[in-house]
Amino acid sequence: VNSGLSPPNRCRLQLYSNNKEPLGFALDGVARIVGFIAAAVFLSTAIINLAKQDAGCIIYATDNEQIVPECNARVYGWRPSSLLTTYGPIGGLISAFSLPIVGAVVDYTPHRKLIGFVSAALQLCFIFVQIFLTKSNWFPMTIVQVGSAFVGWMHTLVVFAYLPELTEDENLLVSWTASFHILQ
């Protein structure tokens, strides 16, 4: 049966009523989760294991043991298991003091899209640099990870400031927001 529609028109998926802005918001959310959360989890584990190796600790259970022994050695003054709990709050403090300033710039200047673009580009650069994580550069990569976390929060701030401008229909915004979170 020929419906009179060409194949591309019959197969077209209409997401968000063909509105590109909420589709962009949704895709940005997926990219933020992959780049900001998944990469941070993987890289944090890798950094801790590399720090343990640098400290001379065992990182894998032997055939005779079921668990990895606790590493009490120190590297750069910290126990490797304490690195994440040390650099996490550092990134949090940097964010807590500087994000209100970024928020004011986003809300009261016409530079919202520019800040969103720059923060997304910086996030990509930070993640790209961390591809080269090795045993010899794990500590500088820890500092890059702190920068990546700050830039990730800055980008999230910019994106969520833009959310109310996607539509004036509150019911549609609730529906879209639910779908954004489901995609993430």
Side-chain angles (χ1 to χ4, degrees):
V1 175
N2 187 354
S3 65
L5 297 175
S6 63
N9 289 334
R10 272 190 292 172
C11 297
R12 182 180 295 163
L13 182 63
Q14 291 187 357
L15 297 172
Y16 304 109
S17 305
N18 284 334
N19 187 336
K20 291 179 182 179
E21 288 180 331
L23 178 59
F25 189 96
L27 294 175
D28 180 83
V30 172
R32 275 185 290 116
I33 292 300
V34 171
F36 185 44
I37 305 298
V41 169
F42 172 78
L43 290 166
S44 296
T45 304
I47 286 170
I48 289 171
N49 284 334
L50 291 170
K52 284 181 179 181
Q53 282 182 344
D54 202 12
C57 299
I58 298 170
I59 61 169
Y60 299 110
T62 61
D63 292 336
N64 299 336
E65 298 181 20
Q66 296 293 325
I67 60 172
V68 177
E70 182 66 29
C71 177
N72 291 319
R74 295 187 180 268
V75 62
Y76 295 109
W78 290 300
R79 290 177 51 193
S81 60
S82 299
L83 282 172
L84 185 60
T85 57
T86 301
Y87 78 75
I90 291 170
L93 285 171
I94 293 168
S95 297
F97 286 110
S98 56
L99 285 181
I101 296 165
V102 175
V105 171
V106 166
D107 286 343
Y108 297 108
T109 68
H111 303 299
R112 179 180 301 172
K113 287 185 179 180
L114 176 63
I115 294 170
F117 175 78
V118 169
S119 62
L122 282 172
Q123 184 74 20
L124 287 172
C125 291
F126 280 131
I127 291 170
F128 177 75
V129 165
Q130 292 177 77
I131 290 171
F132 303 102
L133 174 66
T134 65
K135 186 177 179 179
S136 64
N137 70 1
W138 68 266
F139 190 73
M141 291 297 185
T142 303
I143 296 167
V144 171
Q145 186 71 9
V146 171
S148 179
F150 168 69
V151 170
W153 285 118
M154 182 172 65
H155 185 72
T156 301
L157 175 125
V158 173
V159 168
F160 278 98
Y162 192 65
L163 184 63
E165 296 178 12
L166 293 177
T167 182
E168 293 187 16
D169 182 348
E170 289 182 21
N171 294 325
L172 185 58
L173 185 59
V174 167
S175 174
W176 282 356
T177 302
S179 75
F180 300 150
H181 289 290
I182 289 169
L183 284 171
Q184 290 176 17

